Amino acid sequence: RWAHNRPQERPFIHVVDACATNPRVTRSFQLRIPPDVRQLVVDTPAAMSAQRLSQFTRGAHAILVPVLPSDMDIHAVSQLVADLLLVAKVSRRMGRLGVVANRVRENTLAYRRLMRFLESLNIPVVGQLRDSQNYVHAAEQGLGIHELPPSHTAKDIEGWAPLIDWVGQRM
């Protein structure tokens, strides 16, 4: 939906909807990546079997795990991290696994609980994204938050800086 709403005058982003099926083309043709693509982002569903997780993480330069400050998300992420480490064999030492605290409000109990949990994982927290309507507005327009007016998004962009640096070091 985001890509469908993206204005034509903005830089093109090739999107592959891996969940969609088209009986008129082969699966490999549907999932093909154009040869000029330099960076590939794979956004997987939250509930994925450990075996399928291995398929998506093999060869990845960086694996980002977003987590919300909620008990349900913390529980789900603890299982996901266990699957990444034990089944997908993602090594903490390789430094390609990072966590992003998503939709956080600093100075709340939920935020402090989330940060305590993330520290216990011994995996770097590479970014903190504020709970901001700017993400909603950007998504509705098919834009990235960095494409909105800087006067509206300066605080949000601050949380992205460490994340962008972390990912950039792995490319």
Side-chain angles (χ1 to χ4, degrees):
R1 178 132 181 89
W2 174 84
H4 178 74
N5 292 343
R6 189 159 178 79
Q8 287 187 339
E9 64 271 8
R10 294 294 180 161
F12 178 74
I13 297 175
H14 182 81
V15 176
V16 174
D17 184 355
C19 295
T21 57
N22 184 345
R24 295 178 294 192
V25 298
T26 65
R27 183 86 173 134
S28 60
F29 183 80
Q30 180 187 351
L31 298 177
R32 77 190 183 295
I33 307 300
D36 60 333
V37 169
R38 293 186 336 209
Q39 284 125 0
L40 176 68
V41 175
V42 179
D43 184 8
T44 63
M48 182 182 290
S49 72
Q51 288 70 29
R52 282 201 70 210
L53 193 61
S54 296
Q55 296 171 349
F56 285 98
T57 57
R58 191 175 309 118
H61 293 272
I63 301 168
L64 296 172
V65 179
V67 58
L68 296 168
S70 75
D71 185 61
M72 286 184 1
D73 233 44
I74 289 171
H75 177 73
V77 165
S78 64
Q79 182 60 54
L80 173 65
V81 168
D83 289 344
L84 284 168
L85 297 174
L86 301 174
V87 180
K89 305 291 188 216
V90 175
S91 171
R92 284 185 176 123
R93 289 186 301 257
M94 298 281 292
R96 63 186 185 129
L97 179 58
V99 179
V100 178
N102 194 7
R103 290 194 214 153
V104 296
R105 292 183 192 168
E106 291 186 12
N107 301 323
T108 64
L109 290 174
Y111 172 78
R112 288 194 288 278
R113 197 173 317 127
L114 173 64
M115 296 314 289
R116 273 195 309 275
F117 165 73
L118 294 178
E119 288 169 12
S120 74
L121 292 177
N122 199 22
I123 296 170
V125 178
V126 298
Q128 295 184 33
L129 308 182
R130 290 175 354 111
D131 186 9
S132 167
Q133 286 297 297
N134 287 325
Y135 295 101
V136 175
H137 300 306
E140 288 171 350
Q141 299 172 53
L143 300 173
I145 193 163
H146 63 282
E147 295 174 296
L148 294 177
S151 60
H152 297 166
T153 60
K155 284 185 177 181
D156 298 315
I157 299 295
E158 285 175 21
W160 281 91
L163 172 61
I164 291 168
D165 290 345
W166 185 84
V167 171
Q169 292 170 7
R170 278 137 192 84
M171 295 295 160

mmCIF file of all heavy atoms in Angstrom, residues 62-94:
data_model
loop_
_atom_site.group_PDB
_atom_site.id
_atom_site.type_symbol
_atom_site.label_atom_id
_atom_site.label_comp_id
_atom_site.label_asym_id
_atom_site.label_seq_id
_atom_site.Cartn_x
_atom_site.Cartn_y
_atom_site.Cartn_z
ATOM 1 N N ALA A 62 22.816 -7.334 7.576
ATOM 2 C CA ALA A 62 22.285 -6.781 8.829
ATOM 3 C C ALA A 62 20.883 -7.339 9.052
ATOM 4 O O ALA A 62 20.103 -7.481 8.112
ATOM 5 C CB ALA A 62 22.224 -5.252 8.760
ATOM 6 N N ILE A 63 20.600 -7.658 10.295
ATOM 7 C CA ILE A 63 19.276 -8.152 10.677
ATOM 8 C C ILE A 63 18.765 -7.227 11.769
ATOM 9 O O ILE A 63 19.362 -7.141 12.849
ATOM 10 C CB ILE A 63 19.339 -9.603 11.187
ATOM 11 C CG1 ILE A 63 19.903 -10.520 10.095
ATOM 12 C CG2 ILE A 63 17.954 -10.066 11.649
ATOM 13 C CD1 ILE A 63 20.283 -11.899 10.578
ATOM 14 N N LEU A 64 17.689 -6.530 11.461
ATOM 15 C CA LEU A 64 17.090 -5.598 12.413
ATOM 16 C C LEU A 64 15.814 -6.200 12.975
ATOM 17 O O LEU A 64 14.958 -6.653 12.212
ATOM 18 C CB LEU A 64 16.763 -4.269 11.737
ATOM 19 C CG LEU A 64 17.952 -3.487 11.223
ATOM 20 C CD1 LEU A 64 17.493 -2.301 10.402
ATOM 21 C CD2 LEU A 64 18.805 -3.027 12.388
ATOM 22 N N VAL A 65 15.706 -6.173 14.283
ATOM 23 C CA VAL A 65 14.529 -6.715 14.952
ATOM 24 C C VAL A 65 13.825 -5.566 15.662
ATOM 25 O O VAL A 65 14.321 -5.069 16.672
ATOM 26 C CB VAL A 65 14.916 -7.814 15.969
ATOM 27 C CG1 VAL A 65 13.676 -8.343 16.672
ATOM 28 C CG2 VAL A 65 15.690 -8.932 15.282
ATOM 29 N N PRO A 66 12.676 -5.129 15.122
ATOM 30 C CA PRO A 66 11.937 -4.070 15.821
ATOM 31 C C PRO A 66 11.139 -4.654 16.973
ATOM 32 O O PRO A 66 10.618 -5.768 16.876
ATOM 33 C CB PRO A 66 11.001 -3.529 14.732
ATOM 34 C CG PRO A 66 10.814 -4.668 13.795
ATOM 35 C CD PRO A 66 12.077 -5.501 13.852
ATOM 36 N N VAL A 67 11.063 -3.914 18.060
ATOM 37 C CA VAL A 67 10.286 -4.380 19.213
ATOM 38 C C VAL A 67 9.546 -3.201 19.838
ATOM 39 O O VAL A 67 10.124 -2.133 20.037
ATOM 40 C CB VAL A 67 11.170 -5.114 20.248
ATOM 41 C CG1 VAL A 67 12.280 -4.245 20.754
ATOM 42 C CG2 VAL A 67 10.351 -5.661 21.390
ATOM 43 N N LEU A 68 8.272 -3.403 20.090
ATOM 44 C CA LEU A 68 7.441 -2.387 20.737
ATOM 45 C C LEU A 68 7.550 -2.512 22.250
ATOM 46 O O LEU A 68 7.818 -3.596 22.764
ATOM 47 C CB LEU A 68 5.971 -2.577 20.326
ATOM 48 C CG LEU A 68 5.637 -2.384 18.858
ATOM 49 C CD1 LEU A 68 4.224 -2.880 18.567
ATOM 50 C CD2 LEU A 68 5.774 -0.939 18.471
ATOM 51 N N PRO A 69 7.289 -1.432 22.973
ATOM 52 C CA PRO A 69 7.342 -1.496 24.445
ATOM 53 C C PRO A 69 6.053 -2.089 25.020
ATOM 54 O O PRO A 69 5.306 -1.426 25.722
ATOM 55 C CB PRO A 69 7.528 -0.032 24.850
ATOM 56 C CG PRO A 69 6.907 0.742 23.752
ATOM 57 C CD PRO A 69 7.120 -0.065 22.501
ATOM 58 N N SER A 70 5.795 -3.350 24.696
ATOM 59 C CA SER A 70 4.621 -4.036 25.241
ATOM 60 C C SER A 70 5.027 -5.428 25.679
ATOM 61 O O SER A 70 5.966 -6.018 25.136
ATOM 62 C CB SER A 70 3.508 -4.130 24.192
ATOM 63 O OG SER A 70 3.823 -5.110 23.224
ATOM 64 N N ASP A 71 4.314 -5.962 26.630
ATOM 65 C CA ASP A 71 4.610 -7.294 27.142
ATOM 66 C C ASP A 71 4.524 -8.340 26.032
ATOM 67 O O ASP A 71 5.363 -9.227 25.940
ATOM 68 C CB ASP A 71 3.652 -7.637 28.291
ATOM 69 C CG ASP A 71 3.992 -8.957 28.928
ATOM 70 O OD1 ASP A 71 5.118 -9.086 29.451
ATOM 71 O OD2 ASP A 71 3.144 -9.873 28.871
ATOM 72 N N MET A 72 3.509 -8.227 25.171
ATOM 73 C CA MET A 72 3.349 -9.195 24.085
ATOM 74 C C MET A 72 4.527 -9.148 23.120
ATOM 75 O O MET A 72 5.030 -10.182 22.687
ATOM 76 C CB MET A 72 2.036 -8.951 23.325
ATOM 77 C CG MET A 72 0.840 -9.392 24.109
ATOM 78 S SD MET A 72 -0.784 -9.275 23.298
ATOM 79 C CE MET A 72 -0.497 -8.666 21.705
ATOM 80 N N ASP A 73 4.973 -7.958 22.763
ATOM 81 C CA ASP A 73 6.092 -7.824 21.838
ATOM 82 C C ASP A 73 7.389 -8.320 22.466
ATOM 83 O O ASP A 73 8.193 -8.975 21.805
ATOM 84 C CB ASP A 73 6.239 -6.366 21.390
ATOM 85 C CG ASP A 73 6.270 -6.236 19.880
ATOM 86 O OD1 ASP A 73 5.440 -6.894 19.223
ATOM 87 O OD2 ASP A 73 7.119 -5.498 19.376
ATOM 88 N N ILE A 74 7.597 -7.989 23.721
ATOM 89 C CA ILE A 74 8.804 -8.445 24.414
ATOM 90 C C ILE A 74 8.851 -9.976 24.428
ATOM 91 O O ILE A 74 9.892 -10.580 24.142
ATOM 92 C CB ILE A 74 8.872 -7.854 25.832
ATOM 93 C CG1 ILE A 74 9.179 -6.353 25.740
ATOM 94 C CG2 ILE A 74 9.903 -8.584 26.690
ATOM 95 C CD1 ILE A 74 9.061 -5.605 27.058
ATOM 96 N N HIS A 75 7.725 -10.602 24.722
ATOM 97 C CA HIS A 75 7.674 -12.068 24.725
ATOM 98 C C HIS A 75 7.962 -12.620 23.326
ATOM 99 O O HIS A 75 8.751 -13.556 23.166
ATOM 100 C CB HIS A 75 6.306 -12.551 25.224
ATOM 101 C CG HIS A 75 6.158 -14.030 25.179
ATOM 102 N ND1 HIS A 75 6.795 -14.872 26.068
ATOM 103 C CD2 HIS A 75 5.476 -14.825 24.321
ATOM 104 C CE1 HIS A 75 6.506 -16.111 25.767
ATOM 105 N NE2 HIS A 75 5.699 -16.128 24.713
ATOM 106 N N ALA A 76 7.333 -12.044 22.302
ATOM 107 C CA ALA A 76 7.539 -12.519 20.928
ATOM 108 C C ALA A 76 8.994 -12.339 20.496
ATOM 109 O O ALA A 76 9.567 -13.221 19.842
ATOM 110 C CB ALA A 76 6.603 -11.774 19.978
ATOM 111 N N VAL A 77 9.592 -11.213 20.852
ATOM 112 C CA VAL A 77 10.983 -10.959 20.457
ATOM 113 C C VAL A 77 11.943 -11.904 21.169
ATOM 114 O O VAL A 77 12.933 -12.330 20.585
ATOM 115 C CB VAL A 77 11.357 -9.477 20.675
ATOM 116 C CG1 VAL A 77 12.851 -9.268 20.635
ATOM 117 C CG2 VAL A 77 10.683 -8.629 19.625
ATOM 118 N N SER A 78 11.644 -12.248 22.407
ATOM 119 C CA SER A 78 12.530 -13.185 23.102
ATOM 120 C C SER A 78 12.552 -14.526 22.369
ATOM 121 O O SER A 78 13.611 -15.132 22.206
ATOM 122 C CB SER A 78 12.135 -13.342 24.566
ATOM 123 O OG SER A 78 10.855 -13.908 24.680
ATOM 124 N N GLN A 79 11.399 -14.982 21.875
ATOM 125 C CA GLN A 79 11.348 -16.233 21.102
ATOM 126 C C GLN A 79 12.045 -16.062 19.750
ATOM 127 O O GLN A 79 12.793 -16.927 19.317
ATOM 128 C CB GLN A 79 9.900 -16.673 20.886
ATOM 129 C CG GLN A 79 9.777 -17.988 20.145
ATOM 130 C CD GLN A 79 10.447 -19.135 20.880
ATOM 131 O OE1 GLN A 79 10.163 -19.372 22.044
ATOM 132 N NE2 GLN A 79 11.365 -19.817 20.224
ATOM 133 N N LEU A 80 11.836 -14.931 19.103
ATOM 134 C CA LEU A 80 12.481 -14.665 17.815
ATOM 135 C C LEU A 80 13.996 -14.651 17.954
ATOM 136 O O LEU A 80 14.712 -15.261 17.154
ATOM 137 C CB LEU A 80 11.995 -13.337 17.235
ATOM 138 C CG LEU A 80 12.714 -12.879 15.971
ATOM 139 C CD1 LEU A 80 12.456 -13.834 14.819
ATOM 140 C CD2 LEU A 80 12.310 -11.473 15.610
ATOM 141 N N VAL A 81 14.498 -13.986 18.960
ATOM 142 C CA VAL A 81 15.952 -13.924 19.164
ATOM 143 C C VAL A 81 16.502 -15.327 19.437
ATOM 144 O O VAL A 81 17.549 -15.704 18.902
ATOM 145 C CB VAL A 81 16.306 -12.929 20.296
ATOM 146 C CG1 VAL A 81 17.759 -13.080 20.719
ATOM 147 C CG2 VAL A 81 16.033 -11.507 19.836
ATOM 148 N N ALA A 82 15.782 -16.109 20.221
ATOM 149 C CA ALA A 82 16.214 -17.492 20.466
ATOM 150 C C ALA A 82 16.280 -18.263 19.152
ATOM 151 O O ALA A 82 17.257 -18.984 18.895
ATOM 152 C CB ALA A 82 15.264 -18.170 21.452
ATOM 153 N N ASP A 83 15.266 -18.109 18.295
ATOM 154 C CA ASP A 83 15.268 -18.788 16.992
ATOM 155 C C ASP A 83 16.407 -18.294 16.109
ATOM 156 O O ASP A 83 17.053 -19.085 15.420
ATOM 157 C CB ASP A 83 13.936 -18.582 16.275
ATOM 158 C CG ASP A 83 12.787 -19.348 16.914
ATOM 159 O OD1 ASP A 83 13.048 -20.278 17.710
ATOM 160 O OD2 ASP A 83 11.614 -18.999 16.616
ATOM 161 N N LEU A 84 16.656 -16.994 16.114
ATOM 162 C CA LEU A 84 17.757 -16.453 15.317
ATOM 163 C C LEU A 84 19.092 -17.026 15.764
ATOM 164 O O LEU A 84 19.933 -17.399 14.937
ATOM 165 C CB LEU A 84 17.791 -14.930 15.406
ATOM 166 C CG LEU A 84 16.744 -14.180 14.608
ATOM 167 C CD1 LEU A 84 16.711 -12.707 15.021
ATOM 168 C CD2 LEU A 84 17.011 -14.306 13.116
ATOM 169 N N LEU A 85 19.304 -17.104 17.062
ATOM 170 C CA LEU A 85 20.588 -17.572 17.586
ATOM 171 C C LEU A 85 20.744 -19.085 17.475
ATOM 172 O O LEU A 85 21.807 -19.572 17.094
ATOM 173 C CB LEU A 85 20.745 -17.125 19.043
ATOM 174 C CG LEU A 85 20.791 -15.616 19.284
ATOM 175 C CD1 LEU A 85 20.798 -15.321 20.776
ATOM 176 C CD2 LEU A 85 21.966 -14.978 18.588
ATOM 177 N N LEU A 86 19.693 -19.830 17.796
ATOM 178 C CA LEU A 86 19.817 -21.287 17.886
ATOM 179 C C LEU A 86 19.492 -22.017 16.581
ATOM 180 O O LEU A 86 20.156 -22.988 16.246
ATOM 181 C CB LEU A 86 18.916 -21.812 19.005
ATOM 182 C CG LEU A 86 19.223 -21.241 20.400
ATOM 183 C CD1 LEU A 86 18.185 -21.701 21.404
ATOM 184 C CD2 LEU A 86 20.627 -21.633 20.833
ATOM 185 N N VAL A 87 18.485 -21.572 15.858
ATOM 186 C CA VAL A 87 18.070 -22.284 14.642
ATOM 187 C C VAL A 87 18.703 -21.663 13.403
ATOM 188 O O VAL A 87 19.289 -22.359 12.580
ATOM 189 C CB VAL A 87 16.530 -22.305 14.513
ATOM 190 C CG1 VAL A 87 16.108 -23.032 13.249
ATOM 191 C CG2 VAL A 87 15.898 -22.958 15.739
ATOM 192 N N ALA A 88 18.589 -20.344 13.259
ATOM 193 C CA ALA A 88 19.153 -19.679 12.085
ATOM 194 C C ALA A 88 20.665 -19.495 12.211
ATOM 195 O O ALA A 88 21.312 -19.067 11.262
ATOM 196 C CB ALA A 88 18.469 -18.330 11.857
ATOM 197 N N LYS A 89 21.199 -19.775 13.380
ATOM 198 C CA LYS A 89 22.650 -19.718 13.626
ATOM 199 C C LYS A 89 23.246 -18.335 13.366
ATOM 200 O O LYS A 89 24.338 -18.207 12.829
ATOM 201 C CB LYS A 89 23.397 -20.763 12.786
ATOM 202 C CG LYS A 89 22.916 -22.173 12.960
ATOM 203 C CD LYS A 89 23.251 -22.713 14.318
ATOM 204 C CE LYS A 89 22.929 -24.191 14.389
ATOM 205 N NZ LYS A 89 22.442 -24.625 15.655
ATOM 206 N N VAL A 90 22.514 -17.304 13.743
ATOM 207 C CA VAL A 90 23.027 -15.937 13.647
ATOM 208 C C VAL A 90 23.887 -15.714 14.887
ATOM 209 O O VAL A 90 23.422 -15.847 16.011
ATOM 210 C CB VAL A 90 21.875 -14.905 13.590
ATOM 211 C CG1 VAL A 90 22.417 -13.493 13.622
ATOM 212 C CG2 VAL A 90 21.030 -15.144 12.346
ATOM 213 N N SER A 91 25.130 -15.372 14.673
ATOM 214 C CA SER A 91 26.068 -15.202 15.774
ATOM 215 C C SER A 91 26.032 -13.771 16.305
ATOM 216 O O SER A 91 26.039 -12.818 15.535
ATOM 217 C CB SER A 91 27.487 -15.542 15.315
ATOM 218 O OG SER A 91 28.424 -15.199 16.295
ATOM 219 N N ARG A 92 26.021 -13.650 17.625
ATOM 220 C CA ARG A 92 26.135 -12.316 18.236
ATOM 221 C C ARG A 92 27.493 -11.701 17.915
ATOM 222 O O ARG A 92 27.621 -10.501 17.758
ATOM 223 C CB ARG A 92 25.984 -12.414 19.754
ATOM 224 C CG ARG A 92 24.590 -12.615 20.226
ATOM 225 C CD ARG A 92 24.572 -12.571 21.751
ATOM 226 N NE ARG A 92 23.220 -12.661 22.242
ATOM 227 C CZ ARG A 92 22.808 -13.581 23.081
ATOM 228 N NH1 ARG A 92 23.638 -14.484 23.537
ATOM 229 N NH2 ARG A 92 21.558 -13.596 23.486
ATOM 230 N N ARG A 93 28.522 -12.535 17.823
ATOM 231 C CA ARG A 93 29.885 -12.037 17.600
ATOM 232 C C ARG A 93 30.064 -11.405 16.226
ATOM 233 O O ARG A 93 30.914 -10.554 16.041
ATOM 234 C CB ARG A 93 30.899 -13.171 17.773
ATOM 235 C CG ARG A 93 31.061 -13.619 19.212
ATOM 236 C CD ARG A 93 32.178 -14.618 19.299
ATOM 237 N NE ARG A 93 31.911 -15.775 18.460
ATOM 238 C CZ ARG A 93 31.496 -16.954 18.896
ATOM 239 N NH1 ARG A 93 31.323 -17.152 20.176
ATOM 240 N NH2 ARG A 93 31.280 -17.942 18.068
ATOM 241 N N MET A 94 29.267 -11.833 15.253
ATOM 242 C CA MET A 94 29.396 -11.295 13.894
ATOM 243 C C MET A 94 28.913 -9.848 13.827
ATOM 244 O O MET A 94 29.240 -9.130 12.896
ATOM 245 C CB MET A 94 28.600 -12.144 12.897
ATOM 246 C CG MET A 94 29.064 -13.581 12.793
ATOM 247 S SD MET A 94 30.525 -13.774 11.795
ATOM 248 C CE MET A 94 29.886 -13.357 10.199
#
